[in-house]
Every structure is written in structure tokens, then in C-alpha cells.
Amino acid sequence: MSATVLIAGAGTSGLALALSLLRNGLSVRIVEKQLHFHPGERGAGLQSRTLELYKFLGILPDILERSASETTLRNVQYLSAPDDGKPPRIVHAAQESKNSPARPLVETRFLGQNRHEQLLREHILAEYGVQVELGTELQSFEQHPDHVVARLAKIVDSNPVEETVSVNWLVGADGARSVVRKQLGLSFLGESPEMEAVTGDIHVIGETLKQDQGDGLLVWIRPDDTPAGFMRPCLVPGKNLFQFIILGNKDLDLVKISSSREEMIKAFHEITGKRDIEFGELVWMGLWKPNIRMVDSFGNGRVFVVGDAAHVHSPTGGQGMNSGVQDSFNLAWKLALVEKGAAPVSILKSYSDERTPVIASMLNMTTELFRKELAPKPGQRQDFVRGSELLQLGINYRGSLLVLDEKYTDKDELVDPYRSGDDGTVRAGDRAPDAPSLTHLSANENANIISLFDIFTTVRHTVLIFPGTAGEGFVTEVLEALREYPSNLLKSILVLPRSSSSSTSTSSFAQSAMTLIDTEGYGYVNYMVAADTPTVFIVRPDGYIGALVTSGRQGVRSYFSGIFL
Ligand SMILES: Cc1cc2nc3c(=O)[nH]c(=O)nc-3n(C[C@H](O)[C@H](O)[C@H](O)COP(=O)(O)OP(=O)(O)OC[C@H]3O[C@@H](n4cnc5c(N)ncnc54)[C@H](O)[C@@H]3O)c2cc1C
């Protein structure tokens, strides 16, 4: 079985990477050391930015169909441990988020990681015929200037077999204990707080607790004001499933509690006092210890790490799985361009450069939440409160050497890598906003109203030309400049102001670029383009603004000279 890219690890990070690479025409092998797929919910919260990226990847309809709305999980019920019979204190944890023309998918969705992974595997298999190779462990690798040799160990017909495979690239999506990270010699600095928990998924029977009656997250607080346990409804259709966490303290023997279903249930009843909760099948359970660490570099040469292989943190804030998926989106398009011979190998360095500050910021944020919510010092516990930055819509790469901004030229004006947009600007490096209600100018085009998010895709750059009231000259020179680059790797969109009509002179460009009228004005407003300032936004395949160009041809060339060979 030959492939261009070997991905070690079939969690969400590895599978999202695989699908992105396959979309880009690369061949992949995905090896997974376990004999069976993990049955657990674990990271179930799909943040808004992940949903957007899945739209560009073409799998959003399936995700929305299988996932549950967050509405029933916005409340947190605080109960005493053990229960004192008083009614729970109910806290509204998350800001109610409303969709807007620039942010059409703000609602966090819930889909257990097991079902999320299954959905990704289904697309990979159905669309590309690629199957995850279970029971196949990456053991070691050697790097060469133009390839990587990897050694795999697997079981064939009950016999251990070794395989040596040569690939162009290796990506370690192999989780927190990553072999790839260790063999690359990447440092993994951080801390391991003194704390342990037992976590897993369990069915509840009877009428005491229903996963879909809108109770939200249940949290039990000990008399010393530290959290003792959690129950989160999993919202799996037709089931009554809960994710539980029992947090350790000096009186608890967590190893014993995690040794069997009976021990776990006994401990749960004792800790919470809720002896009327009757449990059914235990789906899985394990000991969990927080680690807060990240790599100093996300790769070296032809080998990279994504997801938990590169960063581990507390689950507070629901950022881990989402961050791993986003690592994969950042890496995939760059790797694809390099592999196709369209981009220099040097652009791969930007994967590490761009993700490092974002992940460092995420670690700070989730650690702060961890200290307030999961492991507070006496008297310092705080209720769950969710800030909008956790939606991950403010993540940005403004400081990246790959991006070009001709409007905001002061690179020293730093912004938190998680909070672009708070400053009221849209800049190069930011998430490209949506703009709905665009209509096709040409009668030949499909007359449907579309949005920019219908156009963005993970397989090419999208060049948005906002000519405003400028003459044809600006558009002509931009389109001429774009002709110098591979036409299959970019798509040009001319966004005409809403006052335009089919008699507009720029309709002559309809053959070189999809020409859309900004019927409701959202395009110019959301991208903050003044009518008298013709502007080009070059949107990368990962949905971030690569360039904000006001000079025309010169800016377009300047950006793409850093991308294409
Ligand atoms: C209780 C809990 C709740 C969480 N809640 C959230 C949440 O709400 N939101 C969120 O975003 N995150 C959450 N997380 C974190 C999230 O689960 C992880 O960040 C996510 O699993 C990382 O995905 P990954 O694909 O990078 O790694 P993993 O899911 O760990 O997958 C790595 C895979 O690689 C395989 N592997 C390892 N070594 C090898 C090898 N040598 N060869 C081949 N295969 C190998 C492993 O078997 C595994 O299948 C939570 C975690 C826990 C434990």
C-alpha cells in the first residue's frame, strides 16, 4: 500500500487531516494502534470555528444532522455533595450566541468524539476508499532529505508482523504520549497538576435523570467548596447516556473506583448522595490526570505533529479536540501545495509559527478555567462562565510572516491570538467573515443566492475582489496578476456593490471571475471595504485572510510570491 502521507493515529485530528489531504488530491495511509475504535464521548463540544471549517470541507450537513444543539446544556446545576435535599443552584454558563451575517454558525454543537470520528471515517471510506488500519502501530521512523521511512508493527492472522514503509511525509496525530513527538525530540514543557479523576460514559435507567430534559450539566460541590463530580447529558438519540467525572481527593481511591462498574457506581452514590440514580451499561471508563503542556515546534523536516501530540490541557473550555482539528486544517493545505510542487518547502515552517501563539494562548485560557472550576484553592472556586472567545472565531494569524496586510501595516500592534475582531477591524490573518445574500450577475450562472461560505473550500485560495466604485483598471490588473498562478489552485470572485446591475461595465469580467452583486451589502460591511477604496482579500484554503491588498497587482504578486513557486 503506497501513500504520500502516513498519519499515525485515527483520532479527530488525524482523521480531519486525512480528509483535508484527500480533498487536496494527496494519498494517505491512516494507522491506528488500537484494535478497536474508542467508544467514548470525551471531547463532544464542536466549537463554532470547527463547524465553519467543516462547512469548507463539505461535511457540515452530516455534522449538523448527527449533533445536538447546545441549548439544553447552557445551564449548570450546582448540587451539594452529598445531596442535602435543597434545590440545586442553577447558573447560566454560556452567553446565548446569535448567528449574524458575518458569523452564521455560532452555536456550539455536541457530538461525542466516537460518533464524530465515525462520521469522518465514513466520508474517508465512502469518498476515497481509504480505511483506517486498526491494530497498526507506528514504532519508529527515519528522516531522509526527500522521504521518511517508518516502521509499523501489526497483527496479521494472530501473528505479529513488521512493515517498513516509505512515504514523503509523516504526521503524528498519535495523542498525548506521541511516539512521533518523542522521536523528533520536541520538548513538551508545562506542568502536571496534582489531581486525578475517573471519567467515562454510562447509561442511566429509570426516571430520575433524563439526558434530554434540559437539566444541563450537573455539578456536585463538596462542603469545602471543591467540585466532587460532574454528569453531562450526551444527547445521543434514543439513549439515556451521561458522561461522568469523579474528581479525586485524599479520601478517594480512584484506582479502586475505576476498577469496575460496581465500584464506580458505589462511589458515585456515596459522593453525591443521589442513590436513586440507577445506572445501566458502562460504555467505558478510565483514569484521567491533567497535563498542561505544548511542544516548542510542531514539526521538523518532513515530520509533523497535530492535536494532543502537540498540546495537552484541561478539558475545561472544550478547546482540545477543536484545536487539534484546526492544527490539521492549517497544515493540510500547505503540505498539499508543497507535495504538488506548487509551493516551496519553506511555507511549512509557518504551520509551527502560526499555531504556536494560538495554542499558547489556549493553554493559558483553559488553565485559568481549570484553576477556577476544577481545581480551585480553598475559597477560590468560581462557577462555570463561558466567554465568547471559546467559540474560536477570534483565532488569528496576524503576526504570521505568510500574511500580507496593506491596510494595517503596523505588525507591532499585537492582538491576542484568540481575540481578533475585538478591535473592530478585519485584517490579514483574521478569520474571513461570511457574507450572505450575494446574487450572480451573469444570467448564465446559477441564479441562486449564495454566501461566501458556500464558496470557500479547503482546496484552493479564494480571491475576493471588491472594486467599489473604482473603474475597470483595478479589476483588470488584479485579474491579469492572478493569471500568473495555477488556475486550479485559486478562484476569483468579483464582489460588486449593491448598486450594480447587469449593465455594469465590469460584467465583461464575468468570464474570468465569478461575478456577484452584494445585494444586501453584507460583503462590503463585513469586510469593512469603503466604496472608494478598491480592495482585494485573498482567503486561504483554511478560511483565514492571507492578504488584504489595496495596491492591486503589486499586492497580489507580493502575497503569492510567498506561497507559490
Ligand atoms: C473527559 C474529557 C473531556 C473532554 N472534553 C473536550 C471538549 O469538550 N472539547 C474539546 O475540544 N476537547 C475535549 N477533550 C480533549 C479531547 O478529547 C482531545 O483533545 C482529543 O481527543 C485530541 O484528539 P487527537 O486526535 O489529537 O488525539 P487522540 O484522540 O488521543 O487520538 C490519538 C490516536 O492515536 C493512536 N495512537 C497513539 N500512538 C500511536 C502509534 N504509535 N501508532 C498508531 N496510532 C497511535 C491512539 O490510539 C489514538 O486513537 C476532552 C478530553 C477528555 C478526556
Side-chain angles (χ1 to χ4, degrees):
M1 249 177 296
S2 73
T4 305
V5 185
L6 176 66
I7 300 173
T12 41
S13 309
L15 293 167
L17 178 71
L19 189 53
S20 303
L21 292 173
L22 289 162
R23 287 267 190 273
N24 276 283
L26 269 59
S27 56
V28 302
R29 264 183 88 173
I30 316 159
V31 294
E32 166 56 54
K33 77 172 178 185
Q34 300 297 338
L35 289 170
H36 305 283
F37 297 119
H38 197 295
E41 281 265 319
R42 296 173 297 155
L46 287 161
Q47 302 295 354
S48 176
R49 186 56 178 157
T50 305
L51 297 175
E52 294 185 349
L53 296 175
Y54 278 166
K55 177 161 174 68
F56 309 151
L57 196 60
I59 60 169
L60 184 67
D62 273 1
I63 293 272
L64 293 179
E65 192 186 317
R66 296 193 202 181
S67 61
S69 155
E70 70 170 344
T71 43
T72 48
L73 287 172
R74 286 206 186 109
N75 284 342
V76 181
Q77 293 197 37
Y78 288 97
L79 302 112
S80 304
D83 187 36
D84 56 9
K86 287 190 193 146
R89 190 169 57 84
I90 297 178
V91 171
H92 201 59
Q95 306 290 331
E96 204 149 317
S97 27
K98 274 211 170 89
N99 286 344
S100 70
R103 301 174 158 200
L105 292 162
V106 289
E107 189 196 57
T108 303
R109 304 283 302 183
F110 281 85
L111 181 68
Q113 228 170 295
N114 51 337
R115 289 175 295 141
H116 180 178
E117 289 167 3
Q118 184 186 345
L119 185 152
L120 291 168
R121 288 196 305 270
E122 282 173 14
H123 277 275
I124 290 168
L125 183 61
E127 296 182 46
Y128 301 97
V130 175
Q131 191 132 30
V132 171
E133 298 171 48
L134 282 170
T136 307
E137 179 174 357
L138 172 81
Q139 295 210 304
S140 63
F141 63 87
E142 276 160 27
Q143 282 215 59
H144 299 270
D146 59 352
H147 69 288
V148 181
V149 174
R151 267 174 293 282
L152 306 176
K154 52 188 174 179
I155 306 287
V156 178
D157 298 331
S158 314
N159 297 315
V161 172
E162 285 206 356
E163 182 191 349
T164 301
V165 50
S166 175
V167 287
N168 291 356
W169 311 94
L170 167 67
V171 183
D174 49 347
R177 297 199 176 95
S178 172
V179 167
V180 175
R181 181 188 70 235
K182 286 176 190 156
Q183 215 193 306
L184 275 180
L186 305 177
S187 76
F188 203 44
L189 296 179
E191 54 176 311
S192 301
E194 274 305 309
M195 183 198 182
E196 257 189 315
V198 177
T199 184
D201 304 339
I202 193 160
H203 290 267
V204 172
I205 50 183
E207 296 298 313
T208 46
L209 207 53
K210 292 279 186 198
Q211 64 161 11
D212 42 14
Q213 65 193 13
D215 283 347
L217 180 71
L218 306 176
V219 182
W220 281 272
I221 303 292
R222 295 188 171 103
D224 67 355
D225 201 34
T226 59
F230 298 78
M231 289 277 273
R232 177 185 71 80
C234 295
L235 308 174
V236 183
K239 302 204 169 158
N240 198 29
L241 189 66
F242 286 78
Q243 183 179 46
F244 65 87
I245 301 179
I246 296 175
L247 292 160
N249 73 356
K250 61 180 175 20
D251 301 327
L252 290 180
D253 180 348
L254 292 182
V255 174
K256 191 170 173 205
I257 292 172
S258 65
S259 66
S260 71
R261 172 182 172 277
E262 288 64 35
E263 290 291 345
M264 178 265 150
I265 293 171
K266 192 169 132 213
F268 178 89
H269 283 153
E270 269 166 25
I271 293 164
T272 65
K274 288 271 190 195
R275 291 173 197 280
D276 56 342
I277 297 180
E278 209 182 324
F279 291 102
E281 182 205 345
L282 175 74
V283 179
W284 82 282
M285 169 169 69
L287 268 177
W288 174 76
K289 208 173 157 18
N291 273 296
I292 299 164
R293 294 172 186 278
M294 68 179 284
V295 286
D296 53 343
S297 163
F298 281 61
N300 186 3
R302 296 183 160 267
V303 182
F304 302 90
V305 282
V306 292
D308 275 19
H311 42 84
V312 287
H313 24 81
S314 136
T316 39
Q319 303 292 286
M321 174 274 293
N322 291 275
S323 301
V325 168
Q326 289 169 43
D327 292 343
S328 294
F329 273 84
N330 188 298
L331 176 62
W333 69 272
K334 296 170 184 171
L335 201 55
L337 287 185
V338 172
E339 176 57 29
K340 286 176 185 167
V345 174
S346 55
I347 72 161
L348 294 172
K349 185 177 173 303
S350 71
Y351 165 54
S352 195
D353 292 347
E354 291 184 349
R355 293 303 290 165
T356 298
V358 171
I359 296 300
S361 179
M362 187 266 286
L363 244 61
N364 286 339
M365 216 164 47
T366 51
T367 305
E368 199 187 322
L369 292 174
F370 171 76
R371 300 213 188 292
K372 287 178 185 164
E373 297 169 357
L374 277 193
K377 291 206 173 109
Q380 292 187 7
R381 189 188 61 76
Q382 287 187 16
D383 289 343
F384 277 62
V385 179
R386 294 283 171 259
S388 59
E389 66 273 21
L390 297 178
L391 299 175
Q392 304 189 322
L393 296 170
I395 288 177
N396 66 87
Y397 305 127
R398 284 188 188 180
S400 170
L401 293 176
L402 218 56
V403 307
L404 170 79
D405 201 321
E406 293 186 331
K407 185 172 172 186
Y408 302 98
T409 48
D410 189 355
K411 281 236 176 200
D412 293 338
E413 254 184 64
L414 285 180
V415 63
D416 184 318
Y418 247 72
R419 290 185 183 83
S420 67
D422 286 0
D423 58 2
T425 63
V426 177
R427 303 187 185 210
D430 290 359
R431 155 192 174 275
D434 194 12
S437 305
L438 303 168
T439 51
H440 288 279
L441 178 75
S442 159
N444 297 331
E445 298 266 11
N446 178 342
N448 287 341
I449 295 172
I450 58 169
S451 74
L452 288 181
F453 274 17
D454 294 329
I455 297 166
F456 295 161
T457 149
T458 50
V459 301
R460 58 173 186 241
H461 278 78
T462 307
V463 183
L464 303 173
I465 308 165
F466 293 87
T469 51
E472 289 186 27
F474 181 82
V475 182
T476 308
E477 71 168 70
V478 169
L479 289 175
E480 264 175 24
L482 291 172
R483 258 176 237 125
E484 295 163 17
Y485 306 104
S487 58
N488 60 330
L489 297 178
L490 48 91
K491 184 169 180 79
S492 313
I493 312 285
L494 193 55
V495 186
L496 302 179
R498 62 171 137 186
S499 52
S500 315
S501 70
S502 52
S503 60
T504 305
S505 58
T506 38
S507 61
S508 57
F509 297 114
Q511 292 189 337
S512 336
M514 180 191 272
T515 307
L516 301 169
I517 300 181
D518 190 15
T519 319
E520 299 290 334
Y522 293 125
Y524 280 77
V525 168
N526 293 353
Y527 281 77
M528 306 184 84
V529 179
D532 60 355
T533 314
T535 309
V536 177
F537 283 86
I538 304 178
V539 179
R540 312 189 323 184
D542 59 1
Y544 287 87
I545 298 168
L548 195 176
V549 168
T550 50
S551 66
R553 176 189 296 137
Q554 187 193 331
V556 169
R557 282 188 175 150
S558 174
Y559 171 71
F560 280 125
S561 69
I563 303 289
F564 293 132
L565 276 171

